[in-house]
Amino acid sequence: MTDQKDVLILGIESSCDETAASVVKNGREVLSNVISSQIDLHTLYGGVVPEIASRKHVERINQVIDQALQEANVTFDDITAIAVTYGPGLVGALLVGVAHAKALAFALGKPLVGVHHIEGHISANYIEHKELEPPFACLVVSGGHTHLVVVKDYGKYEIVGKTCDDAAGEAFDKVARAIGLGYPGGPKIDRVAKEGNPQAIAFPRAKVGDNVYDFSFSGLKSAVLNYLNSCEMKGEEINTPDVAASFQKAVTDVLVDHAMRAVEEYGFTKLAIAGGVASNSALRAAFESACEEKKIAFYRPSPVYCTDNAAMIAVAGYYEYMAGVRSDYTLNAVPNLKLGER
Ligand code: KG4
Ligand code: ZN
């Protein structure tokens, strides 16, 4: 049931290869969450093809939005405002969502709120953890980002660490390709690693520069490639589950180590994780035990809210809307939008 005082946000997400729409009530209650994934199409090419992604978004966006309204049992009239991802992401893909949201806002006379994709990922934690409120620390690990973020308040962020090269998800995808698992790499490594020994191969845990919270994954990726090459040269058989498990352990160790160090040094009692890689089962388990040991409250979205979805955009849009943020019809796609920028 919705009543007049409820704030209903229609969220739209099209920054990469998922066309998604969702209706969220009062910032925390998901009434619908429709995701049309293009993974099967891009699998043929071993990764996301931007041109194909844009075209598919155009084909699917109307239907996805209609379905989101239907499943929420509401009409456009009931919607308070429209929230849309406007960056970062693939420019052509973002543009489809942004243009569509602008057209809807104009035609319906509803407010428009541009949302940062990473703010969306962080906000996914509010959906199932009704008690969670800032401040807290959040590790954002996706295909394009590895950020250690201090969430000071709703919409207020400070990045304390980030990757100097590859994002964690990118490393998963590249290593998966190298060991013949294909795209998308993260979920496949997650699955195969369950059969392997994480101690089998000693892959490096990268240390970087001056900032102890920064990350680097390109050295690890090279170490895996070198290991594979040397096995091939020596004619040794490659144990794929062991490589997957050992690589995954190397990534997990560094992510947990940095995040826990930040939590301790900044004196946080709450830690959240977000983004596609946050659905990794080994990472979730490692954080659960690290947080339990240190008596830190640990928050993570269900896997469906870790990978790209529009519910997280509607949630972030709700808090921006309540803070008075409004976008006008000049809103444009910003492929390299920085967190906290408008
Ligand atoms: O957040 P997301 O859906 O899109 C971006 O904003 O990038 O993240 C996608 C990334 C991909 O690199 C994918 O391989 C990775 O998240 N991923 C995973 C898992 N599920 C998705 N990585 C590790 N384990 C998983 N279970
Ligand atoms: Zn994402």
Side-chain angles (χ1 to χ4, degrees):
M1 280 291 287
T2 60
D3 74 44
Q4 292 256 291
K5 288 191 289 308
D6 289 329
V7 174
L8 260 58
I9 305 286
L10 170 65
I12 299 175
E13 155 65 38
S14 71
S15 66
C16 192
D17 60 346
E18 261 94 30
T19 321
S22 161
V23 179
V24 170
K25 184 164 118 181
N26 300 328
R28 301 255 175 169
E29 191 184 336
V30 177
L31 302 185
S32 64
N33 184 34
V34 179
I35 305 167
S36 170
S37 174
Q38 307 174 1
I39 280 181
D40 293 352
L41 283 170
H42 299 289
T43 300
L44 296 170
Y45 306 95
V48 177
V49 183
E51 179 60 28
I52 294 179
S54 315
R55 286 194 216 174
K56 282 292 152 193
H57 286 313
V58 172
E59 276 175 30
R60 292 177 180 178
I61 195 158
N62 265 318
Q63 199 192 329
V64 165
I65 292 173
D66 283 350
Q67 198 180 330
L69 293 172
Q70 245 175 47
E71 287 182 15
N73 206 12
V74 299
T75 66
F76 278 126
D77 277 351
D78 303 313
I79 298 296
T80 314
I82 295 160
V84 64
T85 309
Y86 73 110
L90 302 169
V91 66
L94 287 164
L95 270 173
V96 178
V98 169
H100 213 89
K102 285 200 286 190
L104 278 178
F106 179 69
L108 301 168
K110 306 270 182 187
L112 174 71
V113 181
V115 171
H116 192 290
H117 184 75
I118 299 301
E119 177 169 18
H121 274 304
I122 295 169
S123 304
N125 279 287
Y126 299 133
I127 298 171
E128 294 155 300
H129 303 294
K130 308 292 181 208
E131 75 288 9
L132 177 62
E133 293 198 38
F136 59 93
C138 186
L139 175 75
V140 186
V141 271
S142 72
H145 296 83
T146 306
H147 283 359
L148 197 46
V149 180
V150 170
V151 183
K152 295 174 161 175
D153 201 345
Y154 294 109
K156 299 224 165 14
Y157 308 97
E158 185 190 338
I159 299 170
V160 297
K162 58 180 176 356
T163 182
C164 304
D165 39 60
D166 292 351
E170 204 177 341
F172 268 95
D173 293 335
K174 287 178 177 168
V175 166
R177 194 176 310 154
I179 56 178
L181 294 177
Y183 175 85
K188 291 193 170 158
I189 290 192
D190 195 346
R191 210 170 311 128
V192 169
K194 290 193 167 76
E195 317 292 318
N197 172 10
Q199 319 294 346
I201 309 150
F203 290 131
R205 273 70 171 151
K207 296 253 180 311
V208 267
D210 301 334
N211 186 350
V212 290
Y213 304 123
D214 279 347
F215 304 93
S216 166
F217 294 108
S218 73
L220 171 60
K221 177 194 65 193
S222 304
V224 175
L225 295 179
N226 288 342
Y227 173 82
L228 297 173
N229 281 340
S230 86
C231 286
E232 206 170 293
M233 304 240 292
K234 289 187 245 162
E236 287 172 10
E237 206 179 311
I238 291 161
N239 183 322
T240 305
D242 280 355
V243 177
S246 302
F247 159 77
Q248 184 172 269
K249 178 87 170 86
V251 176
T252 304
D253 279 357
V254 172
L255 293 174
V256 172
D257 180 68
H258 289 204
M260 294 312 289
R261 199 185 305 188
V263 163
E264 267 182 68
E265 259 166 55
Y266 283 79
F268 281 112
T269 53
K270 296 181 264 185
L271 172 70
I273 57 172
V277 182
S279 63
N280 183 272
S281 55
L283 185 69
R284 292 162 87 89
F287 267 117
E288 254 156 44
S289 61
C291 287
E292 200 179 299
E293 194 187 313
K294 300 272 182 219
K295 304 275 175 284
I296 301 292
F298 174 54
Y299 302 90
R300 70 271 176 276
S302 290
V304 69
Y305 296 125
C306 286
T307 44
D308 287 350
N309 66 88
M312 67 184 199
I313 302 303
V315 174
Y318 168 83
Y319 286 104
E320 295 288 354
Y321 173 81
M322 296 307 273
V325 172
R326 303 288 183 273
S327 304
D328 63 24
Y329 301 133
T330 63
L331 184 71
N332 203 354
V334 184
N336 55 0
L337 185 67
K338 302 278 176 291
L339 189 63
E341 265 177 17
R342 279 242 144 237

